[in-house]
Amino acid sequence: MTSPAQLAVAVGRRRAYWHSAFCLAVLVCAVYLALRHWPAVHTGVVRLAVADQGWLLVAATAAVATWMSSALAQQGAVARRLPGTRLVAAQFAASAANHLLPAGVGAGAVNLRFLMRCGLPAGRSASALAVKATAGALTRCMLIAALAPACPGLLRVPHVPPAAPVVVLAAAAMVAVVLNSRLGPRCRQAVTAVLADIRAVHTSPPRTAALWGGSLAFAALHSLVLIAVAQAVELPLPPAEVALLYLAASSAAALLPTPGGLGSLDAVLALALTASGAPAALAASAVLGYRLLTVWLPLVPGLLVLGVLVRRKAV
């Protein structure tokens, strides 16, 4: 007879298989699109190779600063003083791990272990990560709302199908079922803990400034990386439009649980830039440059830092 533990393991494996299959399908679609539009991709690579070095240096500096802003936001989410150097190193390692595992699992696991190694209980550590994620999502929405009036007509409200209200009601019914099930008390307890931590953050002005300032800087700096690369390859779009398109595309790509948005963000961002009037080759150059500076160049050093942190039992 199968025990509950064995059943849970089997269900977890089945979910992992489906999750991996979905991620693989997204990546295959991204590769297919790249091969289909290979001339534009190839031209984009060549254009990036002769891009303005000054703007690329600005982009690289902004990419490095994203890890510091992430560390600042994480410090604001907890009351305990965290070791600054190890905190920044953990964010660097977490960004590398995030591009190997889907839907932020890698970054969440690294940061969770880091906070627990710093003496925070598991529940408090998870709550601090939830506070940081909430602040990050809200600041991204605020930036989109602030930039949208400056770029009228750039973002179009999607057509809502007639079945949308039914889907919303079904989702609400599922939430109600979960809250009334055995998981309900745990879910309510987790939400209560996150809300309590959010209130605690806002009772301390330094923590409030660190949380919201770091979250705002993180989103703005990622936008700056793309803006600087776009300027380097002479993309014919204003910086405000590039920033707005990046924020909207990255928010949409976050709904697809691919590792670090690989494939999904690339396709959505390139499509958004092209649809806004940028030549396909220059759009490919901008996306490739952004990915090179934020993913591929830091990936191996980030994994090496992660290995050092694990060996020293810092995560």
Side-chain angles (χ1 to χ4, degrees):
M1 183 176 180
T2 304
S3 66
Q6 292 174 330
L7 181 61
V9 171
V11 172
R13 288 179 178 175
R14 190 177 305 166
R15 290 178 179 175
Y17 291 150
W18 281 108
H19 199 282
S20 301
F22 180 78
C23 293
L24 181 60
V26 173
L27 292 175
V28 167
C29 290
V31 172
Y32 168 75
L33 291 174
L35 293 176
R36 184 178 180 182
H37 301 282
W38 177 248
V41 174
H42 179 265
T43 305
V45 173
V46 174
R47 185 68 188 85
L48 185 63
V50 296
D52 185 281
Q53 300 300 310
W55 277 111
L56 291 180
L57 180 60
V58 172
T61 304
V64 172
T66 58
W67 307 317
M68 301 176 185
S69 62
S70 179
L72 181 63
Q74 189 63 78
Q75 177 61 77
V78 298
R80 177 174 303 199
R81 184 68 180 176
L82 302 174
T85 303
R86 280 190 291 161
L87 176 58
V88 175
Q91 303 313 303
F92 182 41
S95 68
N98 199 44
H99 294 104
L100 298 179
L101 296 174
V105 173
V110 172
N111 280 311
L112 181 65
R113 290 293 302 171
F114 172 75
L115 293 177
M116 293 175 64
R117 290 291 188 183
C118 290
L120 275 73
R124 186 64 62 186
S125 299
S127 180
L129 295 180
V131 170
K132 180 188 175 186
T134 302
L138 290 177
T139 52
R140 191 177 294 269
C141 292
M142 289 188 293
L143 284 173
I144 292 175
L147 289 172
C151 309
L154 188 65
L155 297 182
R156 298 176 179 84
V157 179
H159 174 70
V160 178
V166 177
V167 175
V168 173
L169 290 176
M174 291 179 63
V175 172
V177 170
V178 171
L179 292 178
N180 290 324
S181 66
R182 294 181 179 179
L183 296 176
R186 293 183 179 180
C187 294
R188 288 191 291 269
Q189 185 178 4
V191 172
T192 301
V194 172
L195 293 177
D197 280 354
I198 292 176
R199 287 193 295 268
V201 166
H202 291 87
T203 60
S204 172
R207 289 183 61 191
T208 303
L211 175 65
W212 291 103
S215 300
L216 182 63
F218 183 80
L221 286 167
H222 269 280
S223 302
L224 179 58
V225 174
L226 183 61
I227 290 172
V229 174
Q231 293 294 317
V233 299
E234 299 180 353
L235 189 79
L237 290 178
E241 291 189 8
V242 174
L244 182 57
L245 289 173
Y246 165 75
L247 293 168
S250 58
S251 299
L255 301 176
L256 297 176
T258 56
L262 293 177
S264 57
L265 177 58
D266 305 76
V268 173
L269 188 54
L271 179 62
L273 293 173
T274 305
S276 299
L282 295 183
S285 295
V287 174
L288 288 171
Y290 170 79
R291 278 305 197 183
L292 184 67
L293 293 171
T294 58
V295 178
W296 301 118
L297 287 180
L299 184 60
V300 173
L303 294 177
L304 291 176
V305 170
L306 178 59
V308 172
L309 292 175
V310 170
R311 177 170 296 184
R312 295 183 178 181
K313 297 183 179 181
V315 295

